[in-house]
Amino acid sequence: MSSSSQTPESWISAFCSLVGHEYFAEVSEDFVEDDFNLTGLQSQVPMYKEALEMILDVEPEDGTEDEEEEEEEEEEDDDDMQQDGDRSYRRADAAERRHLRMASDLSVIESSAEMLYGLIHQRFITSRQGIQQMAEKYELGHFGHCPRVYCHGAKVLPVGCSDIPGQETVKLFCPSCLDVYTPPNSRFQTVDGAFFGTTFGCLFFMTFPELEVGGQKPSSSAQTTDPLVSGQSPQPESINGIAPKNLAPGLGQGNIYEPRIYGFRVSEFAKTGPRMKWLRGRPTDVTELDECKVWTQSQALHAAAEGLAPPDAADLADSEMADDNVEADEGEEEEEDMDVNDGEGAPSGTAQNAMFASLPQQDVTARRKPSRRRGHDVALTNGEGGGTALSVGGAG
Amino acid sequence: MDDYASSDSEYTSYWRDWFISSRGNEYFCEIDEDYLTDRFNLTGLNTEVQYYQYALDLVTDVFDMEVDDDMREQIEKAARHLYGLVHARYIVTTRGLAKMMEKYKQGVFGKCPRVICEAQHLLPMGQHDVPNVSHVKLYCPKCEDIYNPKSSRHNSIDGAYFGTSFHNILFQVYGTLMPQKTQRRYEPRIYGFRVHASAALMRWQEERREELKDRLRQRGIETGFEEEDDGDEDLESEDDEVDDDQEGIDDMFEGQMQAV
């Protein structure tokens, strides 16, 4: 930002001010000039050198150009055979090449430069400086708002659904419903999604966990005075690493569309009845999402209910537990009583899975409810017992 | 809206034609003359609409009184309001449904902004049946959610002109129009890894979905979800190693479905 502002008419700022390029941040020239940041882009972008020069507004004069080329190529020519051939060609008739370039290649270079800029941009916005810039744009609402009614105008972020250019156009990620939308204006349908990348959206909200991601509720009291939230069980400070109020605030009870005919709800057993409520669901009590806890509690309940009989039910699938073990070290708090679990000895993954599969569905769900209720009690009395997540898996 | 002021003299053209073809009123369909002239269909509207009789005359093209511009504007406004309220009743009739169904098929009401819905056509709806409470929203039958219209000129239409029931009745009547639901969804990822908080929520949601499916199966009702193997062009599998990645995702889904 700082270095690019010295030339007001730099290619980068001109590019970012084009119609349809409103989502782009201005990549600083320092970032572009650091070769490390460009690793691997040479093979993805045709006319890479020329494109890079164009982005950096390097005067394409013969002298400087050749000089720079030589510098560059000394670093690069280890593995790039094609580049070698290219170099000799360039040296032979640089002048002619320049002439050609003036004439017909300019548009090719321009599009290459755009592609290169986009790919650099994808990396830049996940850097500290870039994400900060995007945060400013986010705060100003440059990216627009979620079209979903129940998100109440939550601010969205541009993301890609692919990191490879040329596959998808840019989409908008709403943190309030964790879904992606097509930008309302068709001018963004020419912007490649890869220029923003798949990582940025989530990384952004993990970088700024204090941002209020929900939109403006019409009556703010509706959510906070929810009887279940305020009355029944205290909500933890953080669930799975983020504050509960920032975990998909646009979902859950009161934010799910309920189809009605003349005031009567349409039954889910109707042929065209509602089938998609799960998509916008969210537990009123977020501790239900603490999968490790839920699992160990169901284990504990079983140990209690069936004495020392082998534990045969848990409400989590085995494959999910495997995920958990990996994900758990994100620093989430685990609050369960590990002794119970250790005592009975959780069986190993595959054996457990086989047992789950043989269990009738109803049993599992029937047991789930009490185990969860019990879970809250445990959580209350035990307080926190941090970092036991890994040992849950280890017990098996 | 500017039109009518300049065209005071030419009231030979049908008001309803003008109304539904004017910009911003694309969502409305034309109400039959028969329907409008049947007083039964207008029960109760006389208390809702100012200058009710004049407005009705204007809508049915029999208004021929000389009034000043102010008055005409008010009557015009009342006529639009009246038309909207009658419209909400008309579109749940057989003929109205058929007309709206045609418009729906043509995509007049726009397409779902949700990426996974793949430009599913929308239907206009209101969140309230009482006028002046909320603006028109768009219902997507695929994700069963409601969205704000893209354009501000549609955003100012009263939701009561379409009502809360119409779109549901449409699918009750034309059940075959109901699109198949999809289980595919966007998964937030960082460098290809799912993010725990959202992934846990999604697993919870998918549990709810499987419970719903079980309830439906127990009663022998079609779940309405597209086949599992249709989900091959997953949006979320966007990595370089598309194949490997997809395999991983499929495995995970299958594991869940059996176990939950």
Side-chain angles (χ1 to χ4, degrees):
Chain A
M1 211 48 206
S2 52
S3 56
S4 64
S5 57
Q6 65 192 11
T7 47
E9 275 300 301
S10 72
W11 186 89
I12 291 176
S13 55
F15 177 80
C16 292
S17 58
L18 284 176
V19 172
H21 292 183
E22 290 86 349
Y23 293 163
F24 283 99
E26 288 193 23
V27 180
S28 71
E29 284 184 13
D30 300 342
F31 190 89
V32 183
E33 278 160 1
D34 187 341
D35 280 338
F36 177 76
N37 293 326
L38 311 179
T39 309
L41 293 186
Q42 188 160 19
S43 58
Q44 285 194 57
V45 182
M47 324 258 319
Y48 172 79
K49 275 228 50 86
E50 291 82 354
L52 190 59
E53 279 168 8
M54 183 176 269
I55 289 174
L56 290 173
D57 297 307
V58 176
E59 280 299 309
E61 282 170 39
D62 293 342
T64 48
E65 193 177 40
D66 281 349
E67 209 173 275
E68 276 194 11
E69 252 167 47
E70 235 133 50
E71 264 174 37
E72 282 283 328
E73 275 157 13
E74 262 162 23
E75 295 160 24
E76 292 159 356
D77 60 5
D78 305 333
D79 42 6
D80 207 331
M81 295 304 286
Q82 204 200 330
Q83 194 65 24
D84 258 358
D86 222 79
R87 178 172 52 169
S88 53
Y89 164 68
R90 286 184 197 177
R91 277 191 183 142
D93 34 15
E96 193 190 330
R97 183 175 63 86
R98 210 173 116 45
H99 177 71
L100 277 173
R101 177 174 141 181
M102 289 295 287
S104 64
D105 289 359
L106 208 61
S107 63
V108 180
I109 297 171
E110 181 73 37
S111 70
S112 279
E114 282 178 20
M115 159 102 86
L116 179 61
Y117 183 79
L119 293 174
I120 297 171
H121 185 265
Q122 182 199 100
R123 299 173 178 196
F124 176 70
I125 56 174
T126 57
S127 73
R128 186 187 293 267
Q129 195 192 355
I131 212 163
Q132 197 65 47
Q133 233 188 86
M134 290 301 261
E136 284 163 27
K137 286 171 79 75
Y138 171 82
E139 292 285 0
L140 293 169
H142 281 191
F143 308 123
H145 303 272
C146 183
R148 187 170 167 265
V149 171
Y150 290 110
C151 283
H152 305 289
K155 283 182 239 164
V156 292
L157 275 187
V159 296
C161 289
S162 166
D163 285 318
I164 305 160
Q167 295 198 338
E168 296 260 7
T169 59
V170 68
K171 310 290 180 212
L172 298 171
F173 170 65
C174 172
S176 183
C177 56
L178 302 175
D179 217 330
V180 282
Y181 298 97
T182 311
N185 198 314
S186 58
R187 69 169 178 261
F188 295 114
Q189 267 148 41
T190 57
V191 180
D192 199 315
F195 297 169
F196 296 88
T198 57
T199 297
F200 169 66
C202 253
L203 191 67
F204 182 89
F205 291 107
M206 292 184 92
T207 311
F208 306 106
E210 72 286 350
L211 279 178
E212 292 266 355
V213 301
Q216 271 104 40
K217 296 265 158 77
S219 56
S220 55
S221 56
Q223 184 75 8
T224 45
T225 58
D226 191 344
L228 281 165
V229 174
S230 56
Q232 255 187 354
S233 62
Q235 296 296 286
E237 280 287 292
S238 95
I239 179 76
N240 296 333
I242 68 171
K245 70 173 163 49
N246 274 346
L247 176 68
L251 302 183
Q253 213 177 13
N255 291 320
I256 306 172
Y257 174 65
E258 175 89 72
R260 283 170 187 265
I261 293 179
Y262 301 127
F264 298 100
R265 276 175 292 152
V266 180
S267 164
E268 70 176 16
F269 299 123
K271 200 154 190 294
T272 55
R275 298 282 190 274
M276 295 297 283
K277 286 185 179 176
W278 56 274
L279 184 68
R280 306 306 193 192
R282 177 185 184 272
T284 324
D285 177 8
V286 290
T287 50
E288 279 183 54
L289 295 177
D290 197 339
E291 292 168 332
C292 289
K293 197 169 99 187
V294 169
W295 185 76
T296 42
Q297 267 147 22
S298 72
Q299 295 285 298
L301 188 82
H302 264 82
E306 296 174 22
L308 287 175
D312 57 353
D315 45 345
L316 288 172
D318 192 51
S319 59
E320 286 174 327
M321 282 313 296
D323 284 344
D324 270 359
N325 296 339
V326 182
E327 288 166 353
D329 52 3
E330 282 179 11
E332 58 181 0
E333 287 179 4
E334 290 301 320
E335 304 170 330
E336 54 270 353
D337 191 348
M338 288 308 299
D339 295 343
V340 186
N341 191 23
D342 289 342
E344 76 189 1
S348 69
T350 44
Q352 217 175 8
N353 200 16
M355 277 184 265
F356 290 171
S358 65
L359 251 196
Q361 172 72 29
Q362 289 81 356
D363 285 7
V364 181
T365 38
R367 286 191 196 107
R368 190 177 297 149
K369 290 268 159 56
S371 78
R372 280 200 179 135
R373 223 164 284 138
R374 197 189 124 99
H376 306 152
D377 298 339
V378 176
L380 279 176
T381 50
N382 282 4
E384 54 172 38
T388 52
L390 279 175
S391 52
V392 176
Chain B
M1 306 301 108
D2 307 327
D3 274 1
Y4 78 92
S6 58
S7 63
D8 270 7
S9 51
E10 30 185 301
Y11 267 114
T12 46
S13 70
Y14 294 114
W15 186 90
R16 278 167 294 144
D17 272 353
W18 164 79
F19 179 77
I20 60 164
S21 59
S22 63
R23 202 171 147 79
N25 291 340
E26 294 87 351
Y27 291 172
F28 291 94
C29 71
E30 185 168 355
I31 306 173
D32 291 334
E33 179 105 34
D34 298 348
Y35 191 85
L36 269 171
T37 47
D38 185 342
R39 291 289 156 136
F40 176 76
N41 296 324
L42 312 178
T43 309
L45 293 184
N46 52 349
T47 57
E48 278 292 342
V49 182
Q50 258 194 319
Y51 308 111
Y52 169 75
Q53 194 53 54
Y54 294 151
L56 184 60
D57 287 349
L58 188 56
V59 171
T60 49
D61 303 308
V62 292
F63 184 74
D64 53 2
M65 221 167 57
E66 284 301 319
V67 287
D68 59 40
D69 282 1
D70 246 23
M71 185 65 177
R72 184 171 288 281
E73 195 163 330
Q74 285 193 22
I75 293 172
E76 183 68 32
K77 213 175 134 203
R80 272 179 265 141
H81 189 50
L82 176 67
Y83 190 88
L85 293 175
V86 179
H87 187 261
R89 299 180 178 189
Y90 177 70
I91 54 176
V92 298
T93 64
T94 313
R95 299 203 48 167
L97 277 175
K99 278 186 186 174
M100 291 300 265
M101 192 256 292
E102 277 307 315
K103 285 170 88 83
Y104 163 75
K105 278 184 174 168
Q106 291 162 18
V108 174
F109 310 116
K111 291 169 180 168
C112 185
R114 185 168 172 263
V115 173
I116 311 280
C117 285
E118 291 169 332
Q120 168 66 41
H121 289 182
L122 299 167
L123 277 173
M125 57 88 68
Q127 287 175 287
H128 302 92
D129 285 313
V130 183
N132 304 319
V133 182
S134 61
H135 297 306
V136 69
K137 310 289 178 203
L138 297 169
Y139 169 80
C140 171
K142 197 157 186 177
C143 58
E144 292 172 6
D145 213 333
I146 52 176
Y147 300 95
N148 293 308
K150 279 202 269 192
S151 155
S152 56
R153 65 174 188 269
H154 293 140
N155 257 320
S156 55
I157 300 173
D158 198 317
Y161 296 167
F162 299 90
T164 59
S165 310
F166 152 68
H167 58 287
N168 294 315
I169 294 174
L170 185 105
F171 287 111
Q172 295 287 325
V173 175
Y174 299 101
T176 49
L177 282 186
M178 191 58 136
Q180 283 211 315
K181 314 292 179 184
T182 180
Q183 304 185 28
R184 287 184 298 123
R185 60 187 312 178
Y186 173 75
E187 284 186 314
R189 282 173 187 244
I190 290 183
Y191 300 119
F193 297 101
R194 267 180 293 250
V195 181
H196 184 45
S198 55
L201 177 63
M202 286 179 181
R203 282 191 287 271
W204 183 88
Q205 292 172 339
E206 276 148 20
E207 249 178 77
R208 302 286 86 73
R209 180 186 72 207
E210 297 309 313
E211 284 171 14
L212 166 75
K213 279 193 192 168
D214 281 330
R215 286 198 299 275
L216 291 170
R217 281 196 203 104
Q218 274 175 14
R219 298 189 173 219
I221 304 167
E222 274 178 52
T223 57
F225 289 103
E226 54 187 31
E227 292 299 314
E228 247 77 85
D229 48 26
D230 280 358
D232 267 355
E233 345 127 279
D234 273 7
L235 196 90
E236 56 261 27
S237 61
E238 69 270 319
D239 293 355
D240 306 23
E241 335 80 323
V242 178
D243 284 342
D244 297 357
D245 196 73
Q246 214 149 39
E247 219 104 277
I249 288 173
D250 286 351
D251 286 351
M252 224 209 71
F253 275 126
E254 271 156 31
Q256 257 177 349
M257 274 158 205
Q258 283 154 15
V260 170

